[in-house]
């Protein structure tokens, strides 16, 4: 198998809100968009993020076409977590968890976008 690209698709009520959050706070850029979806890419992150309007009739399988988010974390490993936390918080993002360090060396913080998706930054320490 030769995988040439990877994407994560998430159903959300307001695709523009999640796309704007990703572009404003995480540096994503729009790769393509049409009625009911937007695909975002990042210069240094792996998979594209695709936001699909909840209830889009072309979503298959339709029985799982509900909103994304429950139990889902969008996680990004960074080298400067505290600096990024301050920048994103100052820009007005909703803070879920301020920077904290787990005993195993994972320092993390979390934000919620307008659709309730949780965006987590991680930095490995010690």
């Amino acid at each position: 198998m030769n995988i040439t690209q990877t994407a994560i698709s998430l159903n959300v009520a307001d695709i523009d809100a999640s796309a704007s959050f990703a572009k404003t706070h995480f540096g994503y850029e729009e790769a393509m968009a049409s009625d009911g979806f937007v695909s975002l890419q990042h210069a240094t992150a792996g998979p594209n993020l695709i936001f699909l309007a909840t209830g889009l009739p072309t979503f298959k399988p339709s029985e799982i076409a509900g909103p994304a988010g429950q139990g889902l974390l969008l996680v990004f490993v960074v080298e400067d977590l505290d600096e990024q936390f301050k920048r994103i918080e100052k820009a007005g993002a909703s803070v879920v968890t301020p920077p904290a360090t787990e005993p195993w060396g994972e320092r993390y913080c979390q934000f919620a976008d307008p659709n309730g998706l949780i965006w987590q930054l991680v930095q490995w320490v010690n």
Side-chain angles (χ1 to χ4, degrees), residues 27-60:
Y28 275 85
E29 297 178 353
E30 189 173 297
M32 67 168 45
S34 189
D35 190 32
F37 88 96
V38 62
S39 177
L40 304 177
Q41 62 190 12
H42 194 281
T44 60
N48 282 16
L49 291 178
I50 299 172
F51 296 108
L52 301 171
T54 304
L56 199 62
T58 57
F59 186 93
K60 305 291 186 230

Side-chain angles (χ1 to χ4, degrees), residues 19-96:
S20 178
F21 187 89
K23 291 187 277 187
T24 300
H25 301 300
F26 288 80
Y28 275 85
E29 297 178 353
E30 189 173 297
M32 67 168 45
S34 189
D35 190 32
F37 88 96
V38 62
S39 177
L40 304 177
Q41 62 190 12
H42 194 281
T44 60
N48 282 16
L49 291 178
I50 299 172
F51 296 108
L52 301 171
T54 304
L56 199 62
T58 57
F59 186 93
K60 305 291 186 230
S62 60
E63 62 270 10
I64 63 163
Q70 188 172 7
L72 174 80
L73 300 174
L74 293 169
V75 180
F76 302 89
V77 177
V78 298
E79 295 177 353
D80 51 357
L81 182 130
D82 292 294
E83 180 181 319
Q84 294 303 320
F85 174 82
K86 290 175 191 171
R87 179 186 61 78
I88 295 169
E89 180 185 41
K90 184 177 179 180
S94 175
V95 175
V96 174

Side-chain angles (χ1 to χ4, degrees), residues 88-108:
I88 295 169
E89 180 185 41
K90 184 177 179 180
S94 175
V95 175
V96 174
T97 306
T101 304
E102 298 288 0
W104 54 85
E106 177 186 19
R107 185 157 176 75
Y108 74 101

